Amino acid sequence: MKKDTRNFVIVLAVLVAILVGGNIAVRESSGVDPPFTVVESQSMQHGNGSEIGIIDTGDMVLVKSPSKTDIISYVEGYHSGYRSFGEYGSVIVYERSVGNPVIHRAILWLESNGDGTWSAESLKYYTDDGSETGRMWSCGLYNDYLNMSGTLKLYDVGYAGKIVSINLDTLDNGRSGYLTMGDNAVTNRDFDQAIGVYGDLVAVENIRSVAWVEIPWLGSLKLMINGNTSALDTWASNSIGYLAVAFVTVIMVLMAIGYTSDCLHIKKAKKR
């Protein structure tokens, strides 16, 4: 076997081993099949353009089964400091009866009291010591987080400081679950349950997976192949350019590995 051919085979074998091993490791850690989802909308973006660390149109996101990780709501994350993808709390992928699954942030867990009222103990800690009352939410006359009804409001939510609200009396009181919302302050100004993205609280059984790792731009290929580029063109048009740069970088790295290998062989040959 010629030296160039041998080097190519070695590099190819290493790449295949990395890909196969990585795929096995990801699937085992994920517990979901497939262990990824492609983001087709702009609802989680923090601005006009793709950013690393934020879930943008055209990104591929590795996901985990809810059984393999904890779901932390935005309100809980605000208190504990836990953040993912640029905001407090976890991002979940949930099923709905009509339409594609939704990848949005879990904002607040509401527990049904079974008598027309709701509990949300985590609201106890959704406070700002710099504000007049300290409380960053309101509901009814008494603001009792263990006995809520009527309109619930949360203040200063997310990077844009949104004020969001939901009439709790419109929800199914026999069903506990999450209030959810996309991060985008332009297109997703309120809870999913208030603007018709989803008709009720997201119960545990509706949660397909939890967002785990962002792989920026890679999902753009799927959107282009499917001709679904409207949101990509409008909200993350820089994704294609970044993806091209990433591919070129990978090729250059492989070429550098091959060149370095050749130089080492030549050096050894000269010593002989």
Side-chain angles (χ1 to χ4, degrees):
M1 182 182 293
K2 293 183 178 180
K3 181 176 67 177
D4 290 343
T5 303
R6 182 183 63 199
N7 290 343
F8 174 77
V9 171
I10 292 174
V11 172
L12 184 61
V14 170
L15 285 175
V16 170
I18 292 173
L19 290 174
V20 172
N23 181 59
I24 293 173
V26 166
R27 287 182 178 275
E28 180 63 27
S29 299
S30 169
V32 180
D33 188 23
F36 60 84
T37 186
V38 171
V39 181
E40 299 184 9
S41 79
Q42 72 285 347
S43 63
M44 290 298 291
Q45 292 195 204
H46 291 193
N48 197 335
S50 181
E51 304 175 58
I52 293 178
I54 306 297
I55 297 178
D56 303 303
T57 311
D59 285 350
M60 179 179 287
V61 179
L62 299 182
V63 294
K64 278 191 173 185
S65 166
S67 64
K68 287 182 173 287
T69 188
D70 294 326
I71 298 175
I72 300 172
S73 72
Y74 175 91
V75 170
E76 291 170 319
Y78 182 87
H79 173 64
S80 68
Y82 174 77
R83 300 173 68 93
S84 68
F85 308 104
E87 288 284 16
Y88 294 114
S90 303
V91 176
I92 61 175
V93 179
Y94 67 84
E95 301 276 7
R96 49 184 178 169
S97 56
V98 178
N100 294 329
V102 177
I103 179 168
H104 279 177
R105 196 170 299 276
I107 303 298
L108 175 68
W109 175 267
L110 287 176
E111 187 74 28
S112 169
N113 292 333
D115 60 359
T117 65
W118 302 85
S119 296
E121 192 164 356
S122 60
L123 287 175
K124 176 181 180 180
Y125 306 104
Y126 191 52
T127 60
D128 180 1
D129 293 337
S131 66
E132 184 176 347
T133 64
R135 190 177 57 249
M136 294 172 62
W137 63 277
S138 65
C139 188
L141 294 175
Y142 303 107
N143 297 307
D144 181 358
Y145 56 82
L146 297 179
N147 185 27
M148 298 188 299
S149 62
T151 299
L152 169 67
K153 288 186 178 181
L154 302 186
Y155 304 100
D156 198 24
V157 178
Y159 70 94
K162 291 186 279 190
I163 299 175
V164 294
S165 63
I166 183 76
N167 183 354
L168 299 180
D169 298 337
T170 64
L171 301 174
D172 179 0
N173 195 247
R175 177 189 178 95
S176 301
Y178 287 101
L179 288 169
T180 53
M181 182 169 57
D183 287 359
N184 195 321
V186 177
T187 62
N188 295 74
R189 289 292 308 169
D190 218 324
F191 295 118
D192 295 346
Q193 291 73 19
I195 61 176
V197 175
Y198 191 66
D200 221 318
L201 297 175
V202 178
V204 171
E205 57 265 26
N206 293 109
I207 299 174
R208 174 195 279 189
S209 56
V210 182
W212 175 25
V213 178
E214 173 212 19
I215 305 178
W217 322 309
L218 189 58
S220 301
L221 292 175
K222 177 186 176 182
L223 299 186
M224 288 188 293
I225 291 171
N226 293 342
N228 184 17
T229 60
S230 177
L232 186 66
D233 294 339
T234 303
W235 287 91
S237 57
N238 57 339
S239 291
I240 305 303
Y242 285 155
L243 183 61
V245 170
F247 275 131
V248 170
T249 301
V250 170
I251 292 172
M252 291 180 67
V253 168
L254 293 176
M255 291 176 63
I257 292 173
Y259 176 76
T260 302
S261 177
D262 287 343
C263 289
L264 291 174
H265 280 294
I266 292 173
K267 190 175 181 179
K268 287 181 179 179
K270 287 181 176 179
K271 286 184 178 180
R272 293 171 186 166

